[in-house]
């Protein structure tokens, strides 16, 4: 399973001090079937805990997710700042998932090279 974050989410994670380990844990839970919300079309919402706190008081992340293949963190928000994404945003994420989850390895490498995505690794 390869895990990626887009450049927007990368900035969000750095600003909020969200570790790579926390992101990998969210994907691991999804792989185990512990999905917080399946929005359909390859889009899921997963909780990410704040440092030293529980997941319920932490962050929400939007992932483009294909089990046993790839996961892409594309959006995140603190629960105390935003209750949920809007319906129109959910539709946009579903359109994005259709495109992103169908990327070939070559296309994905080009997007990584251009800085639009980066792989999440434990050493982040």
């Amino acid at each position: 399973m390869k895990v990626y974050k887009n450049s927007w989410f990368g900035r969000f994670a750095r600003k909020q001090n969200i570790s790579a380990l926390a992101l990998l844990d969210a994907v691991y839970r999804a792989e185990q079937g512990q999905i917080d919300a399946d929005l359909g079309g390859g889009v899921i919402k997963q909780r990410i805990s704040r440092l030293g706190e529980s997941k319920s008081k932490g962050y929400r992340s939007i992932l483009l997710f294909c089990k046993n293949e790839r996961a892409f963190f594309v959006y995140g928000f603190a629960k105390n700042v935003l209750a949920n994404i809007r319906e129109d945003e959910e539709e946009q994420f579903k359109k994005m998932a259709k495109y992103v989850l169908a990327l070939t390895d070559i296309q994905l490498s080009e997007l990584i090279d251009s800085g639009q995505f980066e792989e999440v690794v434990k050493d982040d």
Side-chain angles (χ1 to χ4, degrees):
M1 176 69 144
K2 294 281 192 170
V3 180
Y4 304 91
K5 57 188 172 186
N6 67 6
S7 58
W8 184 94
F9 192 91
R11 286 187 300 276
F12 170 78
R14 280 189 299 280
K15 184 177 178 182
Q16 302 300 325
N17 290 323
I18 299 171
S19 70
L21 193 57
L23 299 179
L24 294 171
D25 177 64
V27 173
Y28 174 78
R29 286 184 286 110
E31 283 279 286
Q32 301 305 309
Q34 299 170 2
I35 295 173
D36 293 319
D38 187 344
L39 305 179
V43 180
I44 65 171
K45 183 167 62 170
Q46 280 296 85
R47 294 177 181 172
I48 302 171
S49 60
R50 288 181 190 263
L51 192 61
E53 293 189 29
S54 68
K55 291 187 293 283
S56 65
K57 294 182 180 182
Y59 303 100
R60 303 300 183 259
S61 62
I62 301 296
L63 281 89
L64 312 181
F65 180 75
C66 186
K67 189 173 182 172
N68 299 323
E69 290 185 33
R70 297 176 178 166
F72 296 85
F73 285 90
V74 295
Y75 187 67
F77 55 95
K79 183 182 178 191
N80 64 344
V81 173
L82 181 67
N84 208 345
I85 60 172
R86 297 185 319 263
E87 193 173 312
D88 63 316
E89 291 172 318
E90 183 178 324
E91 289 305 313
Q92 290 300 315
F93 287 127
K94 288 177 183 178
K95 288 178 184 177
M96 183 189 293
K98 187 175 182 179
Y99 171 77
V100 171
L101 294 175
L103 290 170
T104 66
D105 289 341
I106 292 171
Q107 291 169 321
L108 181 56
S109 290
E110 290 171 355
L111 291 171
I112 291 169
D113 290 344
S114 71
Q116 293 184 47
F117 285 104
E118 65 180 286
E119 188 169 358
V120 177
V121 293
K122 288 182 184 179
D123 300 331
D124 265 1

